[in-house]
């Protein structure tokens, strides 16, 4: 047996003067019922919908403006960092020297260092102090990795170093 077709009530504007029950859902999902009794409630409802749409639109515009300001700030910070890195200075040194002071590339960098078969234009330059710092950090990391490999031969075996167990037993 077929169920009866669903009955859709006429819109509120078609009912004049009759009390209408309108379900309103709260955030917890418990339905409450409010009674609308006249055409004035329909216009108030329409005004509330229009006000909500206007608030949503304003929130979108404000959000876009905040996002644009954040993007502009990010870009300005990036440009400043690029200018700072172009001369190899950190932020404290940049603020001490100022942006307009002369800076000589040869005083800061050593090089060019070349790999086999490279011409000088392809070489790279180093800041000696930072190169020493990085080499000491690399040595510490290399020692940590070597110690891990000695302490965990089974993990190294599972990682593909099949001689790690033999080295650990000898």
């Amino acid at each position: 047996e077929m169920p009866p077709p669903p009955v859709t009530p006429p819109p509120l504007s078609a009912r004049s003067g009759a009390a209408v029950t309108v379900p309103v859902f709260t955030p917890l999902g418990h339905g409450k019922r409010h009674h609308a009794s006249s055409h004035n409630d329909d216009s108030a409802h329409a005004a509330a919908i229009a006000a909500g749409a206007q608030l949503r639109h304003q929130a979108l515009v404000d959000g876009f403006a905040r996002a644009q300001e954040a993007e502009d700030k990010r870009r300005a910070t990036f440009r400043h960092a690029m200018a700072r890195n172009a001369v190899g200075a950190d932020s404290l040194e940049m603020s001490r020297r100022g942006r307009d002071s002369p800076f000589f590339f040869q005083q800061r960098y050593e090089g060019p260092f070349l790999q086999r078969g490279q011409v000088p234009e392809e070489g790279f330059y180093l800041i000696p102090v930072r190169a020493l710092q990085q080499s000491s950090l690399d040595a510490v990391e290399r020692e940590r990795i070597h110690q891990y490999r000695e302490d965990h031969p089974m993990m190294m075996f599972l990682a593909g170093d099949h001689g790690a167990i033999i080295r650990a037993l000898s």
Side-chain angles (χ1 to χ4, degrees), residues 15 18 21 30 36 44 48 65 67 69 75 82 99 104-105 113-114 122 126 140-141 146 162 169:
R15 304 177 194 175
T21 302
H30 302 293
E69 287 173 11
R75 287 175 184 254
M82 287 293 291
R99 287 185 167 188
F104 300 105
F105 187 81
F113 295 97
L114 305 173
E122 296 173 337
L126 294 176
V140 169
E141 180 67 11
H146 181 70
H162 302 295
L169 294 175

Side-chain angles (χ1 to χ4, degrees), residues 2 5 16 24 38-39 41 57 93-94 114 119 121 125 127 132 134-135 140 148 150 152 154 156-157 163:
M2 298 277 298
S16 59
V24 176
S38 70
H39 183 71
D41 288 341
H57 176 72
E93 188 176 334
M94 267 308 260
L114 305 173
V119 295
E121 291 81 22
Y125 293 83
I127 302 171
L132 286 173
Q134 187 62 47
S135 67
V140 169
Y148 181 87
E150 285 182 4
H152 301 91
M154 184 55 102
M156 298 313 299
F157 176 82

Side-chain angles (χ1 to χ4, degrees), residues 149-150 152-167:
R149 288 178 178 171
E150 285 182 4
H152 301 91
M154 184 55 102
M155 289 301 293
M156 298 313 299
F157 176 82
L158 293 174
D161 182 7
H162 302 295
I165 293 178
I166 295 171
R167 285 192 304 273

Side-chain angles (χ1 to χ4, degrees), residues 83-158:
R84 186 176 65 235
N85 292 336
V87 296
D90 55 9
S91 59
L92 181 62
E93 188 176 334
M94 267 308 260
S95 62
R96 247 187 288 129
R97 275 189 329 189
R99 287 185 167 188
D100 300 328
S101 65
F103 181 77
F104 300 105
F105 187 81
Q106 291 82 12
Q107 291 176 341
R108 178 101 174 148
Y109 294 93
E110 286 186 11
F113 295 97
L114 305 173
Q115 302 291 328
R116 288 188 189 143
Q118 284 186 325
V119 295
E121 291 81 22
E122 296 173 337
F124 61 94
Y125 293 83
L126 294 176
I127 302 171
V129 174
R130 288 190 182 172
L132 286 173
Q133 290 172 348
Q134 187 62 47
S135 67
S136 66
L137 291 173
D138 290 345
V140 169
E141 180 67 11
R142 193 171 30 257
E143 180 59 33
R144 187 188 67 79
I145 291 171
H146 181 70
Q147 188 64 41
Y148 181 87
R149 288 178 178 171
E150 285 182 4
D151 293 345
H152 301 91
M154 184 55 102
M155 289 301 293
M156 298 313 299
F157 176 82
L158 293 174

Side-chain angles (χ1 to χ4, degrees), residues 23-90:
V24 176
F25 294 97
T26 62
L28 295 176
H30 302 293
K32 295 183 179 179
R33 302 211 176 260
H34 296 280
H35 294 283
S37 61
S38 70
H39 183 71
N40 290 339
D41 288 341
D42 290 341
S43 62
H45 184 68
I49 290 174
Q54 185 177 5
L55 286 174
R56 280 192 300 277
H57 176 72
Q58 186 62 39
L60 286 172
V61 169
D62 291 346
F64 179 75
R66 281 193 303 274
Q68 191 66 36
E69 287 173 11
E71 178 68 14
D72 292 344
K73 183 177 180 181
R74 186 190 66 79
R75 287 175 184 254
T77 303
F78 180 72
R79 280 193 302 271
H80 180 70
M82 287 293 291
R84 186 176 65 235
N85 292 336
V87 296
D90 55 9

